[in-house]
Amino acid sequence: MGKRVVMTGNETVAEAVRQINPDVIAAYPITPSTAVVEYISQYIADGLIDTEFVTAESEHSALSACIGAAVGGGRVVNATSGQGLALMWEMLYIASAMRLPIILAVINRALSGPINIHGDHSDTMGARDCGWIQLYSEDCQEVYDNILQAVRISEHIDVRIPVIVALDGFITSHAIETLETEGDEDVRRFIGDYIPLNSILDIKNIVTYGAIDFQDYYFEHKRHQLEGLHKSAEVIKSVGKEFGKTFGREYGFFEGYRLDDAEYAIVVMNSAGGTVKTVIDDLRDKGRKVGLLKLRIFRPFPAIGIAEALKTKKVVAVLDRTSSAGAQGGPLFNEIRSALYNEPTRPKAVNYIYGLGGKDLTAEHIRGVYEALERIDKSRKIDRLVDYLNLRE
Amino acid sequence: MKTWKDLPLGGIIKDVGNTKDYITGTWRTERPVFLEDNCTQCFMCCMVCPDSAVIIKDEKVIGFNYNHCKGCGICAVECISKPKAIEMEKEEQF
Ligand code: SF4
Ligand code: SF4
């Protein structure tokens, strides 16, 4: 039986990790994710878990240590933010190419410069093409549920791909919320025992990891790697269903909130979902047909399901919490618009950049977006394809 | 050559040590030629060769493994004997 608890987002990550009891965690703390490894080191000191805690001299080393532990057959967890993820860059690609099931909680933080410690998605969005699965979380409950599911997804024999579980810095990581956690035994039964594959410590079956690969095999290996990411879609779906059966909270690629009969839709990820829902309830009371598509899985991008859900809408606004310098709007916008392109009927789509460096996104801003969508629908004209919310002009 | 579908997970190598079957000698533009009469068998060339391409048989240097020698010329520079027991020659002569 689950119990209702009160926790910050960081404590939630740590609680899920405590229940997973991984073999190794490598840590180089960085704001706003610092509390995650603080809690975990406390759990280890208190003897609650027997995880090996590796203190590294940088995030590059922390992820390298995780990779080493994973090729040695360990179940491995790590947490970081912003610049920390940026410093892991080189090793992110290596972890996914080696098909190592590592779980990395990323507490989203803006990338320097200018230096900023607050939440936006420039860190994980920058890492969107490094071959990791990316799960996004609106609140503490989703953080907890995503981390437990991430273990099953990444360790699945058809997948074996590392997973980033993202949550908004400070908004989710430091705010206290109620959530339901499950019993230790139930969680352990759900995630199951870890079955290492091709461990370098298995001296009866010696293997080499990380050998050089030229024109003859590099392309083939990259294609092979993609297959794991493609296959993960089915696994994400079935694990989400099984999680629902086991714990009563089912998950898919995205959540549609009052979306089915909506004419105007907003697409967001992470904590902004809650703000949008509040505004939707208000506007629905006034008879306006507005809805939300809150994306949970950004990689692999669930294009088909999204096109299905949005193709009959009149106008769609995609909200990106990152600026993709020089691109036609943010990465989420580009994916969504591209997913809709081959549909015979499709909505008009606009992009809003919001919340960079932790700038607030309020209900008023969301109401303004829905009004703009109605204006675009009436005039059939898009004045600004990419616009900014809450920016002083 | 294998297709992508035939490859093991994570690009691992299961038959470890298969580097010796991977012919890299074709990269060479010059090759070391062994002049046995000048050689003092000091083994300096074996120690400095980055590709383990100096062949030793019965405790004696007898020449080079041209499947893996990349022609860097380090052995020829470091060879201590005078006159040298290793000379670099243009690959197209062979
Ligand atoms: S030329 Fe270079 S690679 Fe070839 S035998 Fe000499 S040292 Fe080794
Ligand atoms: S370095 Fe020169 S002298 Fe010494 S073993 Fe090699 S070839 Fe012979």
Side-chain angles (χ1 to χ4, degrees):
Chain A
M1 263 310 280
K3 63 173 181 204
R4 287 206 76 75
V5 295
V6 177
M7 282 180 185
T8 64
N10 280 338
E11 201 177 353
T12 305
V13 174
E15 172 64 4
V17 173
R18 182 192 66 72
Q19 294 187 308
I20 294 165
N21 190 9
D23 297 304
V24 174
I25 174 162
Y28 189 83
I30 178 168
T31 305
S33 69
T34 307
V36 173
V37 288
E38 279 175 2
Y39 281 116
I40 293 170
S41 61
Q42 187 68 52
Y43 299 155
I44 294 169
D46 292 347
L48 299 180
I49 49 177
D50 51 13
T51 303
E52 179 86 31
F53 191 92
V54 181
T55 49
E57 72 276 27
S58 77
E59 287 87 353
H60 187 281
S61 306
L63 188 54
S64 300
C66 287
I67 290 170
V71 297
R75 195 177 240 169
V76 184
V77 173
N78 199 348
T80 195
S81 288
Q83 301 308 113
L85 187 64
L87 191 49
M88 288 180 180
W89 226 256
E90 181 186 11
M91 304 317 291
L92 288 173
Y93 281 79
I94 290 169
S96 58
M98 287 184 179
R99 305 291 291 272
L100 302 173
I102 296 168
I103 308 297
L104 176 60
V106 178
I107 289 69
N108 287 114
R109 159 177 164 170
L111 288 178
S112 302
I115 297 175
N116 180 293
I117 56 168
H118 292 280
D120 77 29
H121 300 164
S122 48
D123 49 4
T124 49
M125 279 296 123
R128 66 190 179 272
D129 294 333
C130 68
W132 288 51
I133 293 167
Q134 291 196 347
L135 311 184
Y136 286 79
S137 332
E138 179 186 326
D139 52 21
C140 287
Q141 186 69 65
E142 290 191 6
V143 169
Y144 178 76
D145 296 349
N146 274 343
I147 288 182
L148 298 186
Q149 289 173 69
V151 176
R152 286 282 303 277
I153 295 163
S154 70
E155 291 175 6
H156 192 285
I157 187 68
D158 291 340
V159 182
R160 306 299 286 197
I161 286 193
V163 179
I164 283 173
V165 175
L167 52 142
D168 282 343
F170 291 105
I171 299 172
T172 310
S173 69
H174 284 60
I176 293 172
E177 292 181 335
T178 57
L179 71 147
E180 202 162 303
T181 58
E182 309 300 333
D184 289 0
E185 279 313 307
D186 296 330
V187 167
R188 273 163 208 164
R189 204 170 312 119
F190 179 79
I191 61 172
D193 288 334
Y194 181 48
I195 302 158
L197 209 61
N198 305 318
S199 162
I200 49 166
L201 298 182
D202 176 4
I203 52 166
K204 288 205 190 77
N205 301 290
I206 297 174
V207 294
T208 297
Y209 273 89
I212 200 164
D213 221 0
F214 286 129
Q215 295 93 327
D216 48 1
Y217 275 112
Y218 181 89
F219 199 169
E220 277 70 19
H221 275 129
K222 287 318 259 188
R223 177 64 187 87
H224 192 271
Q225 183 188 338
L226 283 182
E227 197 62 7
L229 210 48
H230 293 161
K231 283 190 177 158
S232 72
E234 268 313 304
V235 175
I236 290 166
K237 214 195 274 173
S238 68
V239 169
K241 277 217 172 75
E242 191 187 325
F243 193 85
K245 275 205 199 98
T246 314
F247 299 126
R249 298 179 297 278
E250 191 176 317
Y251 286 86
F253 297 143
F254 54 84
E255 178 194 349
Y257 186 77
R258 305 184 88 162
L259 185 66
D260 286 351
D261 67 336
E263 293 175 343
Y264 309 104
I266 283 181
V267 181
V268 292
M269 296 191 300
N270 274 10
S271 65
T275 316
V276 179
K277 285 174 187 170
T278 311
V279 174
I280 289 174
D281 289 345
D282 266 10
L283 294 176
R284 283 276 180 174
D285 287 346
K286 296 178 182 120
R288 311 260 286 281
K289 291 195 152 176
V290 294
L292 162 73
L293 189 153
K294 187 193 74 191
L295 195 60
R296 172 176 173 244
I297 312 294
F298 187 78
R299 286 286 183 266
F301 193 79
I304 295 169
I306 287 176
E308 204 52 45
L310 294 179
K311 66 182 182 189
T312 57
K313 309 300 164 208
K314 287 181 171 165
V315 193
V316 170
V318 181
L319 273 55
D320 269 285
R321 198 164 192 160
T322 184
S323 74
S324 211
Q328 296 181 77
L332 185 54
F333 178 59
N334 277 295
E335 293 282 1
I336 300 272
R337 208 156 67 131
S338 171
L340 289 165
Y341 185 79
N342 283 338
E343 294 299 324
T345 63
R346 55 176 188 256
K348 288 202 172 308
V350 289
N351 187 208
Y352 289 92
I353 310 295
Y354 77 100
L356 300 193
K359 183 68 87 76
D360 275 341
L361 177 80
T362 67
E364 208 44 55
H365 302 129
I366 303 294
R367 260 192 291 277
V369 170
Y370 281 122
E371 276 160 24
L373 297 189
E374 288 179 17
R375 271 202 309 280
I376 289 168
D377 186 27
K378 288 207 183 80
S379 65
R380 306 307 297 159
K381 224 173 83 215
I382 294 172
D383 288 330
R384 281 175 144 179
L385 185 69
V386 184
D387 210 342
Y388 304 89
L389 289 174
N390 199 13
L391 174 76
R392 292 187 300 279
E393 304 222 26
Chain B
M1 299 275 272
K2 290 177 181 160
T3 74
W4 70 264
K5 290 179 186 150
D6 305 322
L7 299 177
L9 198 79
I12 57 164
I13 290 170
K14 289 193 164 174
D15 49 334
V16 290
N18 66 2
T19 313
K20 65 180 186 306
D21 306 326
Y22 190 50
I23 307 302
T24 50
T26 52
W27 304 359
R28 205 170 45 235
T29 57
E30 288 186 354
R31 71 163 60 178
V33 173
F34 185 47
L35 309 170
E36 193 183 349
D37 292 346
N38 298 343
C39 177
T40 62
Q41 297 298 344
C42 71
F43 290 177
M44 181 60 94
C45 51
C46 319
M47 288 188 280
V48 296
C49 173
D51 287 297
S52 307
V54 179
I55 304 170
I56 297 178
K57 207 176 162 209
D58 299 330
E59 299 184 7
K60 282 200 162 110
V61 171
I62 57 162
F64 305 97
N65 174 351
Y66 293 119
N67 281 338
H68 294 101
C69 163
K70 298 194 185 67
C72 68
I74 294 173
C75 55
V77 170
E78 297 299 331
C79 174
I80 56 139
S81 104
K82 279 183 186 129
K84 295 251 183 205
I86 304 173
E87 272 175 10
M88 299 304 289
E89 299 202 7
K90 290 274 177 247
E91 190 60 31
E92 57 260 29
Q93 298 173 37
F94 299 93

